[in-house]
Amino acid sequence: MSKTWRPATQLVHGGTLRSQYGETSEAIYLTQGFVYDTSEAAEARFKGETDGFIYARYGSPTNDMFEKRMCALEGAEDARATASGMAAVAAAVLCQVKAGDHIVAARALFGSCRWVVETLAPKYGVECTLVDGRDLANWEKAIRPNTKVFFLESPTNPTLEVIDIAGVARLANQVGAKLIVDNVFATPLFQKPLELGAHIVVYSATKHIDGQGRCLGGVVLADKAWIDENLHDYFRHTGPAMSPFNAWTLLKGIETLPLRVRQQTENAAKIADFLAEQGKVAKVIYPGRKDHPQAEIIAKQMTGGSTLVCFELKGGKEAAFALQNALEIIKISNNLGDSKSLITHPATTTHKNLTEEARAELGISPGTVRLSAGIEDTEDLIEDFAKALAKVSA
C-alpha cells in the first residue's frame, strides 16, 4: 500500500488482506477464536512475541482491514474499531481518566456524548466542566491542575458551530492534557483533527462511513503509543469490539465515501441557499456559507462544507412538525450521513433529554430543524422543500 495514494484510492485498496484464494472483495472472518500450530506458538502469541490474532474480542482480520483503512484516511498510526460510535466515545474518554481527574468539554455535544462526560464520568470521581467552546478563553479559564482531557465536536450537533481545533490543542498541550475530537459532521474528507493538533479522533462509523443505514460502528484513532498505553487494555477487558460482519459492511461503505459525501455536500449547500431565501425560515446555519458565525475558522481548518444543514422556522415546533410531515422524499429520522435525505427536530429527538434552558444555551429552539442531505437529485430535494413549506402556516 502506497502512502502517496489519494483518499479515493486509499478507501478502495487501503489495508486489504487477501487469503490464499485471492478474493477480490475483502473476506469476512466470522470466527470467535484462532488456532495455533503448537502450544509454543500459542504461548508466543499471548506473550506478544509473534504477530497474529488471539480472540475476536481483541481483533480479527476483517476488523484489522477496516482499522488500517481508517488510519490511511485519517493519517493515524493506529485505531480500534468499536461496536458503535458511542462505544468509541466512551472508550476514548474513560480509558485515560481516573478518580480525581478533570475533563473540559464543549457544551455543544451530541446528547449521549454529553451524558458520558457530564453524568457518567462524575459517578467514578472524574469532574467535568462544560464550556462555550467557540471562545478559546473559556477553555483556558476552565483548566485546573488535574485537567487530563479536552473533548469537543466540530461542527457541532445540531447547530453546526465550529470550534478552533488547533487553538484548543495548543491549550491542551500546555497542560499535558489530551484533546479528543468527534469529527463525524466534518467527515475525515473535510477535516483532519490530528493534523490540527488533536490527539485522538472518534467517529460514529454508523453515519457517513456506512452511509446506507445498515449497521452500527465506531472507531478511535490516535498514535500507537497512546493506544498501547491507554486504550489497549480497556478495549480487551471491557469488550466494545465491532463485529466482523459490521467491519466488512463498513469496508464496503467506505469505498464509496468520497462519491457520496461529494453529492451530499453539494445538495446540502444548494438547499441551504434555497432555505435562506424563504420567508418562513428565520435563519440558516451551514459551514459552506459566508454568513456562518465562524467562517474564518472554517476557512482555516475545513476543506469542504458539510452534509448537514441546520435551520430555524419562524413558527416554532408547530411549523417544524408541519414541514417535516409534508415532506415526501426527505424522511423523518434521527440518523444522519445516509444516502437518503433525513430530517429531524432536535428538541424532541436527539436533544430532548437536555433541559429547555440547556437547549436554549446551545441555540436549539422549538423551531430548529436538522437536515442530513442525501444523494438524491438536488432539484427534487429543493422541490420537496418548496412544496412542504407551502403547507406551513406563515
Side-chain angles (χ1 to χ4, degrees), residues 77-388:
E77 289 182 357
D78 205 358
R80 291 292 184 273
T82 60
S84 69
M86 283 314 306
V89 169
V93 173
L94 298 178
C95 78
Q96 59 178 325
V97 292
K98 64 183 186 305
D101 287 345
H102 177 238
I103 297 168
V104 182
R107 68 188 185 189
L109 293 172
F110 173 58
S112 294
C113 293
R114 185 158 164 165
W115 185 86
V116 167
V117 296
E118 188 180 27
T119 303
L120 179 61
K123 289 184 178 181
Y124 300 98
V126 180
E127 299 175 302
C128 176
T129 302
L130 296 175
V131 301
D132 181 343
R134 295 170 295 181
D135 188 345
L136 288 177
N138 294 333
W139 293 90
E140 190 167 17
K141 289 175 187 175
I143 293 171
R144 302 177 187 174
N146 58 336
T147 300
K148 301 299 181 184
V149 172
F150 286 11
F151 180 41
L152 64 88
E153 62 183 42
S154 182
T156 62
N157 183 3
T159 54
L160 299 172
E161 295 176 0
V162 173
I163 296 173
D164 184 348
I165 295 173
V168 177
R170 284 194 296 271
L171 292 174
N173 288 332
Q174 288 173 13
V175 297
K178 299 296 184 184
L179 171 59
I180 305 168
V181 174
D182 181 340
N183 201 42
V184 168
F185 272 36
T187 81
L189 298 172
F190 291 156
Q191 187 168 264
K192 301 288 189 183
L194 297 179
E195 292 180 5
L196 294 166
H199 305 95
I200 303 110
V201 181
V202 293
Y203 287 100
S204 171
T206 310
K207 308 304 190 292
H208 301 92
I209 292 167
D210 173 37
Q212 290 155 87
R214 299 170 299 187
C215 69
L216 299 176
V219 63
V220 183
L221 302 109
D223 65 73
K224 190 175 186 307
W226 181 86
I227 286 182
D228 286 347
E229 182 179 344
N230 297 278
L231 184 58
H232 181 72
D233 285 341
Y234 176 98
F235 190 87
R236 287 176 63 134
H237 300 304
T238 62
M242 178 184 289
S243 84
F245 182 82
N246 283 11
W248 179 84
T249 305
L250 292 166
L251 280 166
K252 295 293 93 187
I254 205 172
E255 290 181 353
T256 61
L257 179 68
L259 302 175
R260 289 183 285 105
V261 168
R262 186 184 307 133
Q263 182 63 37
Q264 289 169 309
T265 303
E266 181 180 322
N267 283 346
K270 291 182 178 178
I271 292 169
D273 289 343
F274 168 80
L275 291 172
E277 296 174 354
Q278 306 308 304
K280 296 175 184 178
V281 176
K283 66 177 178 180
V284 173
I285 305 172
Y286 181 69
R289 287 177 57 87
K290 293 181 180 178
D291 59 0
H292 190 285
Q294 291 89 46
E296 290 185 14
I297 297 173
I298 292 168
K300 288 193 303 181
Q301 72 183 32
M302 294 179 68
T303 59
S306 177
T307 67
L308 283 297
V309 180
C310 179
F311 61 99
E312 182 180 347
L313 290 162
K314 292 178 179 178
K317 176 183 173 181
E318 183 179 349
F321 275 30
L323 172 74
Q324 292 188 161
N325 292 342
L327 291 165
E328 182 180 358
I329 299 170
I330 301 163
K331 305 305 179 186
I332 300 171
S333 175
N334 52 286
N335 197 22
L336 62 95
D338 199 281
S339 58
K340 300 176 179 68
S341 291
L342 306 174
I343 198 164
T344 194
H345 183 249
T348 55
T349 59
T350 58
H351 291 70
K352 77 175 184 64
N353 290 329
L354 297 181
T355 64
E356 187 175 341
E357 293 75 20
R359 287 196 295 269
E361 194 177 59
L362 297 177
I364 303 171
S365 75
T368 298
V369 177
R370 188 194 74 192
L371 169 73
S372 173
I375 63 172
E376 302 96 340
D377 184 275
T378 313
E379 295 306 315
D380 283 339
L381 294 175
I382 290 175
E383 287 175 11
D384 201 23
F385 266 113
K387 291 176 183 176

Side-chain angles (χ1 to χ4, degrees), residues 29-45:
Y29 291 88
L30 291 176
T31 181
Q32 299 154 323
F34 301 86
V35 174
Y36 314 97
D37 291 335
T38 64
S39 299
E40 290 79 7
E43 180 183 35
R45 187 83 56 84

